[in-house]
């Protein structure tokens, strides 16, 4: 069942076709996915990435949508509160940077000059004041609109189709650093055309302010943006909307995993924003969600109201060893090595030559999941160090990588070849 936001806007047989476009079974991308494009080339062809140097690692930050949808508690106080918490609770220091508004920030009508008007109830001091507040904290600010005549909410807020230049200019003048550009009410205009028009408008607008703007393409994977958007946006949604439950998170994860060959610095697959902390999953499941998003080099956009978050939520979102997997500068998305009977092994090559390994248990009871250093691409050493990124403990291994993983849980490891041991075998072995 597609999430309600999808159901609202695509109806009947068209919906079935559209929703299958990024379907649960291996799409075309999966077939191509075994082949990693040469550095500087995308799997789709020669297009590389935008030349602005933005999003060289997956964007990290906050977006209100999963927490509030269009409710009245999406307002200036919330956004400022999140920026405060980013600083106070060490999330800024952990890498979270963007504080982003989603749908419903505007009034349904443009003004007489065609300008967008912030909703005065939610944002009584306007958008620039909020952006200034966020910037004063050393953070960045993002906003939302749709590549259509109206945004996705039934209230019908104005979209940017046909207004790209003037809306992009308005965003740039407000100090926007990040635009999430949705797909509702697109009038059937070709997606590549619509998103390229906004890319060009953002580039032109940011030339006047000197503030480059991340372009987050949100067309739900309908037109396989991984094949054409590497130089159109910095990230693209690969699926429909996530909801705060296990099956939604899992199905999105399964659709996003096969697309690994298309991700890289400046151009990321986006399996949607985090639900961690919203209450619909257990903390074990949220650790899986966060582990898998990190090993997939997904954008990490917190989607819960941090003003009400539990210590466990902060512990998950603030785990720097897990974040380092997501933010690794090599920019690889992890690949599935095996997934038999719900026992998943996913491996991500890291810049320092180590591998991040997720041992993920999809089943409803504890399972032993195992692989080897050789299978994850490490060999030749006499010993390896397995670092458990949730327990923050290291242990040695001769090459076996295994753990008992609770139901719906993930053991996330970083495995390094032990150079010293390779070069200097332990004394005990010499004397044996
Ligand atoms: C779409 C997007 C969501 C959210 C809503 C807002 O459904 O995919 O992420 O932005 O619109 O209406």
């Amino acid at each position: 069942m597609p999430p309600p936001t999808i159901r609202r806007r695509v109806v009947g047989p068209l919906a079935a076709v559209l929703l299958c476009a990024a379907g649960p079974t291996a799409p075309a991308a999966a077939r191509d996915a075994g082949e990693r494009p040469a550095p500087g080339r995308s799997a789709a062809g020669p297009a590389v990435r935008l030349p602005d140097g933005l999003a060289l690692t997956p964007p990290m930050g906050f977006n209100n949508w999963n927490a509030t949808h269009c409710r009245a508690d999406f307002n200036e106080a919330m956004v400022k509160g999140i920026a405060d918490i980013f600083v106070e609770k060490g999330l800024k220091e952990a890498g979270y940077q963007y504080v982003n508004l989603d749908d419903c920030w505007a009034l349904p009508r443009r003004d007489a000059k065609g300008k967008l008007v912030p909703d005065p109830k939610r944002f009584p001091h306007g958008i620039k004041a909020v952006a200034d507040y966020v910037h004063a904290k050393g953070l960045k600010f993002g906003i939302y609109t749709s590549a259509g005549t109206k945004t996705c909410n039934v209230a019908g807020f104005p979209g940017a189709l046909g207004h790209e230049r003037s809306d992009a200019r308005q965003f740039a003048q407000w100090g926007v650093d990040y635009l999430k550009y949705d797909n509702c009410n697109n009038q059937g205009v070709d997606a590549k055309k619509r998103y390229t028009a906004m890319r060009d408008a953002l580039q032109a607008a940011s030339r006047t302010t000197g503030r480059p703007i991340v372009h987050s393409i949100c067309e739900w994977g309908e037109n396989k943006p991984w094949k054409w958007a590497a130089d159109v946006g910095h990230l693209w949604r690969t699926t429909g909307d996530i909801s705060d439950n296990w099956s939604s998170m899992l199905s999105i994860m399964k659709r996003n995993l096969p697309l690994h060959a298309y991700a890289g610095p400046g151009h990321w697959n986006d399996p949607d924003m985090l639900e961690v902390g919203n209450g619909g999953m257990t903390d074990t499941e949220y650790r899986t969600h966060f582990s898998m998003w990190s090993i997939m080099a997904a954008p990490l956009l917190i989607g819960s109201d941090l003003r009400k978050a539990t210590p466990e939520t902060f512990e998950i979102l603030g785990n720097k060893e897990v974040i380092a997997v997501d933010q690794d500068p090599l920019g690889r998305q992890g690949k599935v090595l095996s997934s038999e009977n719900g026992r998943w092994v996913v491996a991500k090559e890291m810049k320092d030559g180590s591998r991040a390994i997720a041992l993920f248990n999809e089943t409803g009871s504890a399972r032993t999941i195992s692989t080897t250093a050789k299978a994850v691409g490490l060999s030749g050493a006499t010993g390896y160090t397995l670092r458990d990124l949730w327990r923050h403990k290291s242990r040695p291994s001769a090459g076996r990588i295994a753990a008992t993983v609770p139901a719906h849980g993930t053991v996330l490891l970083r495995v390094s070849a032990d150079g010293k041991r390779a070069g200097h075998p332990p004394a005990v072995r010499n004397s044996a």
Side-chain angles (χ1 to χ4, degrees):
M1 190 67 161
T5 44
I6 298 286
R7 261 182 284 134
R8 209 170 53 224
R9 61 192 173 223
V10 279
V11 283
L14 176 63
V17 173
L18 293 180
L19 290 165
C20 286
T25 49
R31 292 193 299 276
D32 310 341
E35 303 256 316
R36 166 151 284 282
R41 297 176 73 86
S42 82
V48 261
R49 63 176 183 232
L50 292 168
D52 49 28
L54 288 178
L56 292 180
T57 61
M60 293 176 66
F62 169 86
N63 172 299
N64 66 284
W65 183 253
N66 288 345
T68 63
H69 287 212
C70 255
R71 287 197 319 258
D73 55 337
F74 165 48
N75 56 26
E76 180 182 299
M78 178 197 206
V79 180
K80 287 180 164 181
I82 299 294
D84 294 345
I85 290 172
F86 266 18
V87 175
E88 283 156 20
K89 293 272 193 174
L91 292 168
K92 176 186 171 195
E93 202 239 315
Y96 293 94
Q97 194 181 17
Y98 292 97
V99 178
N100 296 351
L101 313 186
D102 209 283
D103 202 356
C104 308
W105 59 265
L107 283 182
R109 286 190 190 286
R110 293 171 181 272
D111 71 11
K113 292 187 181 142
K115 295 275 182 202
L116 297 161
V117 185
D119 180 337
K121 281 210 195 89
R122 295 181 194 269
F123 295 101
H125 304 99
I127 299 296
K128 181 157 190 319
V130 188
D132 288 348
Y133 186 91
V134 169
H135 288 151
K137 302 245 153 191
L139 297 164
K140 294 191 165 158
F141 179 75
I143 206 160
Y144 162 100
T145 188
S146 182
T149 47
K150 288 177 176 186
T151 68
C152 293
N153 187 264
V154 278
F157 302 108
L161 189 65
H163 297 262
E164 291 88 353
R165 293 263 159 180
S166 113
D167 288 356
R169 220 173 302 124
Q170 205 175 346
F171 296 149
Q173 280 159 4
W174 284 340
V176 163
D177 304 288
Y178 184 116
L179 174 68
K180 172 175 170 182
Y181 200 32
D182 213 336
N183 193 30
C184 287
N185 303 298
N186 61 41
Q187 311 301 309
V189 180
D190 174 70
K192 189 170 178 189
K193 248 191 210 156
R194 287 180 290 122
Y195 288 95
T196 304
M198 183 52 87
R199 173 199 66 185
D200 294 345
L202 291 174
Q203 283 177 354
S206 56
R207 269 196 293 275
T208 65
T209 59
R211 186 183 278 284
I213 300 173
V214 171
H215 186 204
S216 160
I217 295 174
C218 178
E219 59 72 87
W220 323 307
E222 283 185 352
N223 305 280
K224 297 192 167 68
W226 46 88
K227 297 218 168 222
W228 51 262
D231 63 351
V232 178
H234 302 91
L235 60 157
W236 49 79
R237 281 274 296 278
T238 55
T239 72
D241 291 6
I242 194 169
S243 348
D244 184 21
N245 62 69
W246 174 250
S247 66
S248 166
M249 190 275 290
L250 192 63
S251 80
I252 284 179
M253 182 199 95
K254 289 181 183 178
R255 290 179 193 204
N256 195 66
L257 277 166
L259 302 174
H260 62 83
Y262 296 93
H267 53 100
W268 307 103
N269 291 314
D270 174 6
D272 208 356
M273 302 170 294
L274 298 167
E275 291 284 6
V276 175
N278 281 333
M281 290 182 247
T282 65
D283 285 333
T284 298
E285 291 169 341
Y286 282 139
R287 272 190 291 275
T288 286
H289 179 15
F290 198 66
S291 299
M292 297 309 291
W293 260 235
S294 294
I295 208 159
M296 292 192 297
L300 297 179
L301 290 168
I302 295 171
S304 60
D305 187 344
L306 295 173
R307 295 171 304 171
K308 302 174 202 156
T310 62
E312 290 75 20
T313 294
F314 280 110
E315 208 181 306
I316 295 170
L317 296 170
N319 185 327
K320 290 185 184 167
E321 293 197 87
V322 178
I323 292 171
V325 171
D326 182 79
Q327 294 290 300
D328 184 69
L330 188 61
R332 294 280 163 93
Q333 175 173 328
K335 284 187 206 175
V336 177
L337 298 188
S338 54
S339 62
E340 278 83 48
N341 302 319
R343 288 188 252 213
W344 293 72
V345 179
V346 181
K348 180 185 201 280
E349 188 185 349
M350 304 284 280
K351 182 150 193 200
D352 67 358
S354 66
R355 299 289 186 279
I357 309 295
L359 305 174
F360 159 52
N361 178 6
E362 184 184 345
T363 79
S365 46
R367 291 278 189 276
T368 297
I369 304 180
S370 62
T371 183
T372 62
K374 189 159 182 235
V376 306
L378 297 173
S379 56
T382 51
Y384 301 87
T385 299
L386 312 187
R387 175 80 179 163
D388 185 320
L389 305 185
W390 287 110
R391 292 201 169 145
H392 307 295
K393 281 192 183 138
S394 300
R395 65 189 153 93
S397 162
R400 186 164 187 263
I401 301 167
T404 304
V405 187
H408 292 187
T410 297
V411 169
L412 191 65
L413 302 168
R414 188 157 174 170
V415 182
S416 331
D418 189 335
K420 270 190 210 139
R421 282 217 264 161
H424 309 281
V428 62
R429 276 179 127 215
N430 292 340
S431 58

